[in-house]
Amino acid sequence: MTSGTRRRMGVQQRREQLIAVALELFSHRSPEDVSIDEIAEAAGISRPLVYHYFPGKHSLYEAAVERAARELASRFEEPPEGPLGARLLRVMRRFFDFVDEHGPGFSALMRGGPAVGTSSTSAVIEEVRHAAYRHILYHLEIERPAPRVELLVRSWVSHAETTALLWLDGRTVPRADLELQLVHDFGALAAVGAAHDAELAGLMGRLVAAEPPDGPFSELFTRLAALFPPPAP
């Protein structure tokens, strides 16, 4: 978004422009590697004018993080229609869209670092994780989860985050395969938990009953059955 001509903007318009420019730069490189001069040049304004709207790069980074966090949290929103496996797969596709679009920025944000590790940015990150947790509970139709259900959902959200970070390091596994695998991982974690908890057992019963033959969970159960055939009589 470079321009040799400055456009006259209102205060809020200019702030929004600078946030958008910074977020675009942070999406391609780690925030530590992006200078105020680069942000000013990309916005088509002078360095002192950037400081007029933001005290420093860190405050601009925090504003960019808040916008990115809202966008990331929105990727977990999904209408409660159709089988859960298909819904989770659509969520994972949108989640990886975000990861793909904002690779270095996503990595820096989730891994922490000099530009990231403050109480305010940490709180924003935790809110994204909690938003994902709430959305998944909504799809499970559970308002007050038992401890094992909470453990399942929070563990899966953390697992999805870690998987995305590892994928960014080399992208050695096809993205579509990982998206499907993460949905399978949810089903597998739920199945293991169901062996220890009545609420999770009921949840698994609903998942199986509502899953079509070509759905992600049906595919998982078919693959597992092939790996562990019943013993011969």
Side-chain angles (χ1 to χ4, degrees), residues 120-132 134 154 161:
S120 57
T121 53
S122 295
V124 170
I125 296 166
E126 284 306 313
E127 180 52 35
V128 172
R129 292 170 177 148
H130 192 62
R134 292 195 308 268
R154 291 195 184 278
E161 175 187 315

Side-chain angles (χ1 to χ4, degrees), residues 85 184 207-208 210-224:
H184 286 174
L207 291 181
V208 172
E211 185 72 2
D214 61 347
F217 291 139
S218 292
E219 180 183 349
L220 169 65
F221 302 146
T222 300
R223 291 189 183 190
L224 291 177

Side-chain angles (χ1 to χ4, degrees), residues 44 145 149 169 178 209:
V149 175
D169 282 341
L178 276 186

Side-chain angles (χ1 to χ4, degrees), residues 73 89 100 104 121 137:
L89 187 56
D100 216 355
T121 53
L137 286 183

Side-chain angles (χ1 to χ4, degrees), residues 19-81:
I19 291 170
V21 166
L23 186 56
E24 174 66 18
L25 291 172
F26 295 151
S27 295
H28 296 287
R29 287 154 57 206
S30 178
E32 290 90 343
D33 298 330
V34 177
S35 70
I36 286 291
D37 287 331
E38 290 177 276
I39 295 170
E41 181 180 358
I45 62 176
S46 66
R47 175 189 174 97
L49 196 54
V50 175
Y51 286 111
H52 175 73
Y53 293 101
F54 291 94
K57 187 175 78 169
H58 187 74
S59 63
L60 178 53
Y61 177 73
E62 287 185 342
V65 165
E66 289 178 1
R67 177 181 289 186
R70 289 195 300 271
E71 182 183 346
L72 179 55
S74 73
R75 303 295 174 105
F76 286 86
E77 296 177 2
E78 174 71 22
E81 301 165 0

Side-chain angles (χ1 to χ4, degrees), residues 179-210:
E179 292 165 356
L180 178 60
Q181 182 180 321
L182 281 166
V183 177
H184 286 174
D185 289 343
F186 183 90
L189 286 170
V192 171
H196 301 273
D197 183 82
E199 184 174 4
L200 270 174
L203 170 63
M204 283 301 298
R206 297 201 308 274
L207 291 181
V208 172

Side-chain angles (χ1 to χ4, degrees), residues 27-28 75 93-106 164 167-168 171 175 179:
S27 295
H28 296 287
R75 303 295 174 105
R93 285 170 180 162
R94 289 196 301 272
F95 172 67
F96 270 88
D97 281 344
F98 182 93
V99 173
D100 216 355
E101 293 161 10
H102 303 284
F106 176 84
W167 178 74
L168 281 172
R171 305 182 188 229
R175 177 184 142 179
E179 292 165 356

